[in-house]
Structures are given as C-alpha cells and as structure tokens.
C-alpha cells in the first residue's frame, strides 16, 4: 500500500498541467503548518486518553492492561473500529469515556483538519490561477497543434465551448466579483522577479 501511495504521488507529479492538481498541491503546502500543529494537539489528546484508559480501566479490561494495548485500543477508536467496549468494571465511566472521545477526537478534530485544509484551498485559488504554469503551456501547445492538424485533415471547424472547457481545466477560472487580485503584480517566480498585469 505504501508503494501504491508513492505511485499515485508520482502520477500526480506528471499531471501538474491540470489546474485542480496544482491547486491541491499548493493548498496542502500552505496548510502544512496548520496540519502539523493540529496533529500535535491530536497526539497530545490521544496520549491523554491512552493514559486515562490505562489508569482507570487497566485493572479490569484486557484492552487497557498495559500502555501498548491501550494505545492500540485508542487507535482503533480513531479509525471507528469500536470493538470490545463492554467496560465490565465501570460501565458509566466507560460510556462517558467513549462519548467524550467521540465528541473531542472525532467530531472536533476531524472538522478542524477539514477547516485548515479548506481555508488554505480558498486562499490559494486566485494565486494559483495567476501563477504561470509551464506544464499547462506545453500541453496547450501540443493539443492546439494536434487539433489544428486534425481540423485541417477533416476540414472541420473548432468547437468554441469545448476549447473553453479545456482552457478552464488547464488554467482555472478567476474568482468572481473580486477586485482584490486585479492590477499590476510583481512576484518572484523561479528566482526571477516578474511583473505582470491581471485584468
């Protein structure tokens, strides 16, 4: 599965000419500090639940009999595999433990991860649209050459809607009803200072 994950990552590297792939990469890069901080908080809270489960339920429950079993049990709760949740020693405390775990770890922290990624995604839409892409330029050039050759051979006119869809797929669309990103821009791209106009 790890090799499959690396293969998918390599495939994404070769599909950077798509606007959505570039946007996802930039959004994850921008959200990486927030993701790391959230992961640190999640690991601290997970350790608190492991320690609490070991100290309170360790004498009565095999799943919490030592720190390794308690860590495995809490990790299984994180992936929603709620098994062996009888808590024969103290059922009321076990129900409170599981309900607080579901509230804090699953409801709050998963939504926090989503909020960090989605806010970075929204912030990066316009900058990725404005940033020139060599891959998209190369694919557009190749596709236009192939299309013009095919149109010449078949004497068929180009479909305007299809070419607009293709351009939107490669370059994206600007944000609607915003004036914030319009005008003269200066940005460092590949170590060179470039000045361009966004209209």
């Amino acid at each position: 599965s790890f090799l499959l994950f690396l293969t998918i990552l390599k495939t994404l590297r070769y599909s950077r000419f798509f606007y959505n792939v570039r946007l996802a990469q930039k959004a994850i890069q921008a959200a990486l500090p927030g993701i790391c901080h959230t992961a640190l908080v999640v690991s601290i809270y997970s350790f608190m639940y492991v320690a609490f489960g070991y100290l309170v339920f360790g004498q009565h429950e095999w799943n919490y009999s030592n720190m390794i079993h308690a860590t495995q049990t809490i990790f299984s709760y994180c992936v929603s595999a709620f098994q062996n949740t009888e808590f024969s020693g103290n059922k009321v405390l076990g129900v409170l433990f599981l309900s607080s775990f579901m509230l804090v770890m699953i409801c709050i922290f998963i939504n926090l991860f989503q909020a960090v990624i989605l806010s970075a995604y929204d912030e990066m839409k316009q900058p990725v649209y404005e940033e020139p892409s060599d891959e998209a330029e190369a694919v557009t050039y190749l596709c236009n050459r192939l299309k013009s050759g095919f149109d010449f051979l078949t004497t068929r006119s180009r479909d305007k809607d299809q070419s607009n869809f293709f351009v939107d797929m490669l370059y994206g669309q600007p944000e609607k009803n915003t004036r914030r990103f319009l005008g003269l821009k200066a940005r460092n791209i590949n170590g060179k200072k470039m000045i361009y106009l966004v209209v």
Side-chain angles (χ1 to χ4, degrees):
S1 63
F2 184 69
L3 290 176
L4 181 63
F5 175 71
L6 290 179
T7 306
I8 292 170
L9 283 183
K10 197 68 171 172
T11 308
L12 287 177
R13 171 102 179 127
Y14 291 130
S15 61
R16 286 190 66 215
F17 55 89
F18 289 116
Y19 169 76
N20 287 331
V21 173
R22 291 194 311 273
L23 179 59
Q25 286 179 342
K26 293 288 185 181
I28 289 173
Q29 286 176 354
L32 200 56
I35 290 172
C36 291
H37 293 137
T38 309
L40 180 65
V41 173
V42 167
S43 63
I44 290 171
Y45 271 90
S46 298
F47 179 74
M48 287 172 50
Y49 276 100
V50 167
F52 183 82
Y54 172 68
L55 292 174
V56 174
F57 305 114
Q59 297 175 353
H60 307 288
E61 301 290 330
W62 182 85
N63 292 327
Y64 295 98
S65 60
N66 58 30
M67 289 296 280
I68 294 173
H69 290 159
T71 304
Q72 290 173 344
T73 304
I74 293 298
F75 182 74
S76 72
Y77 295 163
C78 288
V79 295
S80 299
F82 291 96
Q83 297 173 352
N84 301 322
T85 56
E86 290 84 16
F87 295 105
S88 57
N90 192 344
K91 289 188 182 292
V92 175
L93 197 57
V95 168
L96 288 174
F97 178 74
L98 279 178
S99 59
S100 70
F101 180 83
M102 288 180 63
L103 177 70
V104 172
M105 298 296 286
I106 294 176
C107 297
I108 294 176
F109 282 123
I110 286 179
N111 288 326
L112 191 60
F113 270 116
Q114 288 178 351
V116 167
I117 293 172
L118 288 177
S119 66
Y121 181 81
D122 286 339
E123 287 175 5
M124 294 305 294
K125 274 186 180 177
Q126 190 68 24
V128 171
Y129 172 76
E130 293 174 6
E131 186 175 320
S133 170
D134 297 334
E135 294 92 351
E137 291 289 334
V139 169
T140 303
Y141 176 78
L142 286 174
C143 288
N144 284 338
R145 286 293 166 203
L146 288 172
K147 236 180 197 185
S148 63
F150 184 73
D151 290 343
F152 177 75
L153 290 175
T154 59
T155 62
R156 199 179 71 181
S157 62
R158 277 188 194 180
D159 189 4
K160 185 76 172 171
D161 293 336
Q162 188 175 3
S163 79
N164 283 342
F165 172 74
F166 182 70
V167 168
D168 289 344
M169 192 171 58
L170 291 180
Y171 295 105
Q173 291 181 344
E175 287 188 355
K176 305 256 193 262
N177 301 327
T178 181
R179 293 262 182 232
R180 190 163 56 110
F181 296 104
L182 302 181
L184 196 62
K185 302 286 178 187
R187 181 176 290 179
N188 286 329
I189 299 172
N190 295 332
K192 296 178 184 175
K193 186 172 182 179
M194 299 186 77
I195 298 174
Y196 56 95
L197 180 67
V198 180
V199 293

